[in-house]
Amino acid sequence: DPAERALAQAVLAADDGRDAAGRAGGPTLTPRQVEVVRLVARGLSDQQIAETLVVSPHTVHRHLANIYTRLGCSTRAEAVATCGRLGLL
């Protein structure tokens, strides 16, 4: 399954400092952050993501802020596009 493979690559990247394509020093996301970005890519709101993950909307907002920082972006669309290029979606 390509989605499971991408998630596994993200986990390994988080462990060794490599990005999902295996490049050293690239941006890495935690498995939870990858999960959040995938839900964003499906068009879910913070509230809907919170309900899906059984967390508060504030937690989702914090995850997104951390994702933006790690990826060097500032919008949901940019985060999704970057993750798409990294093969995480």
Side-chain angles (χ1 to χ4, degrees), residues 12-34:
L12 292 173
D15 287 342
D16 71 4
R18 295 181 180 273
D19 68 12
R23 295 179 299 259
T28 59
L29 298 179
T30 67
R32 182 62 128 188
Q33 289 170 336
V34 171

Side-chain angles (χ1 to χ4, degrees), residues 5-52:
R5 192 173 103 216
L7 182 57
Q9 287 173 330
V11 170
L12 292 173
D15 287 342
D16 71 4
R18 295 181 180 273
D19 68 12
R23 295 179 299 259
T28 59
L29 298 179
T30 67
R32 182 62 128 188
Q33 289 170 336
V34 171
E35 190 174 15
V36 169
V37 172
R38 287 181 178 161
L39 293 171
V40 168
R42 288 180 38 204
L44 275 64
S45 68
D46 286 4
Q47 181 64 41
Q48 291 168 320
I49 294 169
E51 290 169 6
T52 300

Side-chain angles (χ1 to χ4, degrees), residues 53-69:
L53 300 178
V54 192
V55 297
S56 75
H58 175 77
T59 299
V60 173
H61 179 79
R62 180 68 18 232
H63 280 309
L64 286 170
N66 291 334
I67 290 165
Y68 297 160
T69 298

